[in-house]
Amino acid sequence: MASAAEQLASNLNFSTFAKAEDLKKRLWFTLAALLVYRLGTHIPLPGLNPEAYAQAFRGQAGGILGLFNMFSGGAVERMAIFALGIMPYISASIIVQLMTSVVPALENLKKEGEQGRKIINQYTRYGTVILGALQAYGIAAGLESGQGLVVDPGWFFRVSTVLTLLGGTMFLMWLGEQITSRGIGNGISLIIFAGIAAGLPTALAGTLELGRTGALSTPLILLVIIVAIAVIAIIVFVERAQRRLLIQYPKRQVGNRMFQGDTSHLPLKLNTSGVIPAIFASSLLLLPATIAGFASTTAMPAWATSIVAALGHGQPLYMVLYAALIAFFAFFYTAIVFNPKDTADNLKKHGGFIPGIRPGERTAEYIDYVLTRITVIGALYLVFVCILPEILVSQTGIPLALGGTSLLIVVSVTLDTVAQIQGHLIAQQYEGLIKKSKLRGGKRGR
């Protein structure tokens, strides 16, 4: 089957795409949905003073608000109706995943298949509403506390802001589900991808302008471009890298016929945790700077000021903590999303085994042994990709358009979307081959 799929993939060409009507409809639907999302990031929240808010945001752009602004496609900078973005849904999903490994009832739901997955998804939506409402109220209260940011402060502004921002998040959650089911790729990931990619032209134009005015030298800009291309190549290589464990199935007899034992592979990704460790680590490290920015009007203790200064971008303490947190969350999240014991039990249930390893507990120990060692490589890879942009910014002063986290998201989502497009094209070509074989069989029968 693998060789047949590879042969079909090698035969894909433009004519195959031209005949794939269903794929073209999915692509157009995806583009239209992302266009709706981009339009929503430019609709401002009612009741704000735009000039006062723009000035206040510039003072907080280096904190966690800057990170949220990147993920929301500039909606936080404009305080648009999509300012919360899809982050409450992602946070709720992570919380529910953590709870499935702690709460026995949720763990049993996870094992019930499609029906259990639907119930867990419903819990995730409830969690999104709760987190979104809390964050929206926090934003409303924070805006009211600012000097001259809100035209008419009061409960009407708070309630309307909560309903507007929460409604925007729920709409994006629904839009992401529609893209996943009726479009191409993972809808939630594509929404984040669109938000990050939307800021690239402006950032690139700003960098070129700095080169034109002489603020940045041309060799330095070329060096950064070469480094960025090399990092993208590394991300592509590692994200597609797998450690395949050989799985064998014994011979079986059905009636009087003996079927030969089959072999397959258990693929273990080198970076099982994905981009989550980078998001968690950067969010935690940006919290002190954000809190300090909001508390700038009051006198801060000397020790607090020194800590905030040490945790600034490019500082040695920031780099060390950033790397340590990424490595920690890489192991922590991998342990959450992949359970070697469940995998070993499923193999044993279906009669599969790893050659030389006893089924059951010994298989679980072996899978955990392999997974731990490849996670070390995955954690080092994440640390390298995320720390390198920070070093470039601190040493050269060039404003990079893509940080480590955003670069991981952009490349990973692109790879996933391209793989799904290829999957649709292979399925289209495979169906065409089946139809041709049926027609030939019918003609021979005549």
Side-chain angles (χ1 to χ4, degrees):
M1 289 296 292
S3 60
E6 291 173 359
Q7 185 177 0
L8 284 172
S10 63
N11 294 331
L12 295 178
N13 49 37
F14 183 77
S15 62
T16 306
F17 177 78
K19 296 175 184 178
E21 296 296 332
D22 180 64
L23 177 59
K24 287 190 285 187
K25 290 179 181 178
R26 287 177 173 271
L27 287 173
W28 281 116
F29 179 85
T30 302
L31 292 175
L34 293 178
L35 178 61
V36 171
Y37 160 64
R38 291 303 305 155
L39 290 175
T41 60
H42 289 81
I43 301 176
L45 192 71
L48 284 182
N49 184 340
E51 295 179 359
Y53 176 77
Q55 184 177 358
F57 179 81
R58 282 193 292 270
Q60 298 291 331
I64 198 170
L65 290 183
L67 181 67
F68 287 160
N69 184 60
M70 179 189 68
F71 288 143
S72 65
V76 175
E77 182 180 3
R78 295 180 286 270
M79 193 45 68
I81 59 175
F82 290 161
L84 275 182
I86 205 68
M87 295 306 291
Y89 177 78
I90 294 175
S91 301
S93 301
I94 294 171
I95 291 172
V96 171
Q97 282 185 348
L98 293 174
M99 292 180 66
T100 52
S101 61
V102 177
V103 181
L106 290 176
E107 188 176 359
N108 294 331
L109 280 176
K110 187 179 179 180
K111 297 178 181 179
E112 289 182 5
E114 183 66 21
Q115 188 62 30
R117 188 181 64 83
K118 288 181 179 179
I119 298 175
I120 291 177
N121 287 342
Q122 196 64 29
Y123 289 156
T124 304
R125 295 187 182 98
Y126 294 150
T128 303
V129 173
I130 296 172
L131 290 178
L134 291 175
Q135 292 179 18
Y137 183 81
I139 290 175
L143 291 172
E144 282 191 339
S145 64
Q147 190 68 27
L149 298 182
V150 180
V151 177
D152 186 18
W155 276 106
F156 179 79
F157 172 77
R158 296 177 197 173
V159 173
S160 62
T161 298
V162 170
L163 292 178
T164 302
L165 294 179
L166 181 59
T169 295
M170 299 308 293
F171 176 78
L172 287 181
M173 183 183 70
W174 174 83
L175 191 65
E177 292 176 351
Q178 294 302 309
I179 293 174
T180 302
S181 60
R182 301 174 59 185
I184 200 80
N186 183 285
I188 302 299
S189 300
L190 281 172
I191 287 175
I192 299 176
F193 169 85
I196 296 174
L200 289 180
T202 303
L204 183 59
T207 303
L208 294 178
E209 180 64 20
L210 290 175
R212 188 186 68 82
T213 57
L216 293 174
S217 64
T218 301
L220 179 60
I221 295 177
L222 292 176
L223 175 63
V224 170
I225 292 174
I226 293 172
V227 171
I229 294 173
V231 171
I232 290 173
I234 292 173
I235 293 175
V236 172
F237 176 78
V238 176
E239 291 298 325
R240 299 183 65 177
Q242 294 178 346
R243 169 72 163 90
R244 295 186 176 185
L245 300 182
L246 180 64
I247 305 296
Q248 288 187 346
Y249 294 91
K251 297 180 181 179
R252 57 192 179 92
Q253 184 173 358
V254 179
N256 295 326
R257 299 185 60 184
M258 178 67 72
F259 290 88
Q260 188 68 26
D262 195 11
T263 61
S264 65
H265 292 88
L266 175 64
L268 300 177
K269 287 190 65 176
L270 209 60
N271 179 28
T272 308
S273 58
V275 75
I276 296 298
I279 295 176
F280 276 14
S282 56
S283 299
L284 286 176
L285 286 178
L286 287 174
L287 275 176
T290 305
I291 295 172
F294 282 120
S296 59
T297 56
T298 61
M300 289 181 61
W303 61 268
T305 305
S306 60
I307 289 177
V308 171
L311 290 177
H313 279 287
Q315 299 299 319
L317 180 61
Y318 175 87
M319 298 287 194
V320 172
L321 289 179
Y322 194 25
L325 286 173
I326 289 174
F328 168 75
F329 283 121
F331 282 93
F332 180 75
Y333 196 70
T334 298
I336 295 298
V337 299
F338 191 94
N339 191 332
K341 187 176 184 305
D342 290 344
T343 304
D345 291 341
N346 289 331
L347 287 175
K348 186 177 181 181
K349 187 186 301 181
H350 293 90
F353 63 94
I354 299 175
I357 307 296
R358 185 176 300 173
E361 186 176 346
R362 297 295 294 273
T363 299
E365 292 175 357
Y366 179 74
I367 294 175
D368 183 64
Y369 171 84
V370 175
L371 187 64
T372 301
R373 275 146 186 78
I374 64 174
T375 304
V376 172
I377 302 175
L380 292 175
Y381 145 76
L382 287 175
V383 169
F384 171 77
V385 170
C386 294
I387 290 294
L388 183 61
E390 298 289 341
I391 296 176
L392 287 176
V393 170
S394 62
Q395 297 297 321
T396 64
I398 186 170
L400 290 183
L402 284 178
T405 306
S406 54
L407 196 63
L408 278 170
I409 293 174
V410 169
V411 177
S412 300
V413 173
T414 302
L415 289 174
D416 180 62
T417 306
V418 170
Q420 290 202 27
I421 291 175
Q422 289 180 342
H424 280 277
L425 290 175
I426 291 174
Q428 174 78 17
Q429 193 169 13
Y430 186 69
E431 289 176 2
L433 292 175
I434 292 177
K435 289 180 181 178
K436 287 182 181 179
S437 63
K438 287 183 178 180
L439 288 175
R440 290 173 182 173
K443 289 179 181 180
R444 289 175 183 174
R446 292 177 186 176

